[in-house]
Amino acid sequence: MAGGLMSLCFPCSLQLCSLRRQLLWPLIPQRGYRGDSPTDSGKDVLEIPLPPWQEHPDEPLDTKRARLLYESRKRGMLENCILLSLFAKENLARMSEEQLNRYDRLINEPSNDWDIYYWATEAKPTPAEFDTDVMAMLREFAKNRNREQRLRQPDLEYLFEAPR
């Protein structure tokens, strides 16, 4: 291939690629979102109303603890999955029925999980209806005074261990 593309030296082939890119770039449709749409009407935003939180007054305590453990682990945002699952592991077994009901309301009534996170980390004040002993426990837990490494949810093996 004496005169073909393969015989070009390295700097020459780079120049050819650069020239090709300069010539073809304007012809290639650009993809991606820049976020600079001044005509965004917001009409494409769909707000789905959440069903109202309902208390489960006749739910057996073991079932309630299991449900709350599950709901603490499956939040939809990693920060709360980690925070609430570790909190649940440490506290659900020793909470009274009234505390379990307050925890249930705390994690299920607010429509925005970020609110729970901000209240727990004291980035925002907790509304009076959620400012309970359980919220105080969660705030204290979120301070992580023992400086534990909290990078993931706890494994579930602890559920099969004998209570201490």
Side-chain angles (χ1 to χ4, degrees):
M1 280 204 177
L5 184 60
M6 296 304 285
S7 64
L8 291 174
C9 66
F10 183 70
C12 293
S13 65
L14 283 179
Q15 288 173 346
L16 183 61
C17 284
S18 177
L19 179 62
R20 188 178 324 148
R21 191 175 301 118
Q22 287 173 354
L23 292 173
L24 294 177
W25 189 257
L27 303 175
I28 300 171
Q30 300 303 306
R31 297 179 57 173
Y33 174 69
R34 289 198 207 150
D36 57 356
S37 174
T39 59
D40 186 13
S41 67
K43 291 181 181 178
D44 58 341
V45 176
L46 176 65
E47 250 187 75
I48 301 172
L50 294 174
W53 172 76
Q54 294 179 347
E55 195 170 350
H56 300 86
D58 299 326
E59 186 176 37
L61 282 181
D62 288 341
T63 305
K64 184 183 294 279
R65 283 189 174 94
R67 178 177 57 79
L68 291 173
L69 173 64
Y70 176 83
E71 291 173 351
S72 296
R73 295 179 64 87
K74 306 296 181 186
R75 299 306 306 172
M77 61 176 272
L78 182 60
E79 293 84 352
N80 273 359
C81 289
I82 293 171
L83 177 65
L84 295 176
S85 65
L86 290 167
F87 176 80
K89 175 186 178 186
E90 192 169 300
N91 293 286
L92 283 184
R94 64 173 179 250
M95 283 185 177
S96 69
E97 184 173 6
E98 293 77 24
Q99 288 176 315
L100 290 171
N101 290 336
R102 288 190 290 276
Y103 183 66
D104 188 4
R105 182 174 182 220
L106 172 65
I107 68 171
N108 289 308
E109 188 173 346
S111 61
N112 186 345
D113 249 22
W114 280 109
D115 289 338
I116 300 168
Y117 182 78
Y118 291 142
W119 302 335
T121 58
E122 299 183 83
K124 290 185 179 177
T126 307
E129 63 267 24
F130 297 110
D131 202 5
T132 65
D133 60 331
V134 173
M135 186 70 228
M137 291 167 62
L138 181 58
R139 276 195 303 261
E140 185 59 33
F141 182 81
K143 290 177 183 172
N144 194 13
R145 294 191 192 275
N146 295 335
R147 301 288 181 221
E148 300 167 328
Q149 192 174 41
R150 297 177 176 172
L151 302 176
R152 63 186 191 88
Q153 294 183 4
D155 294 325
L156 295 176
E157 283 85 19
Y158 75 90
L159 294 173
F160 304 106
E161 298 171 358
R164 294 181 208 170

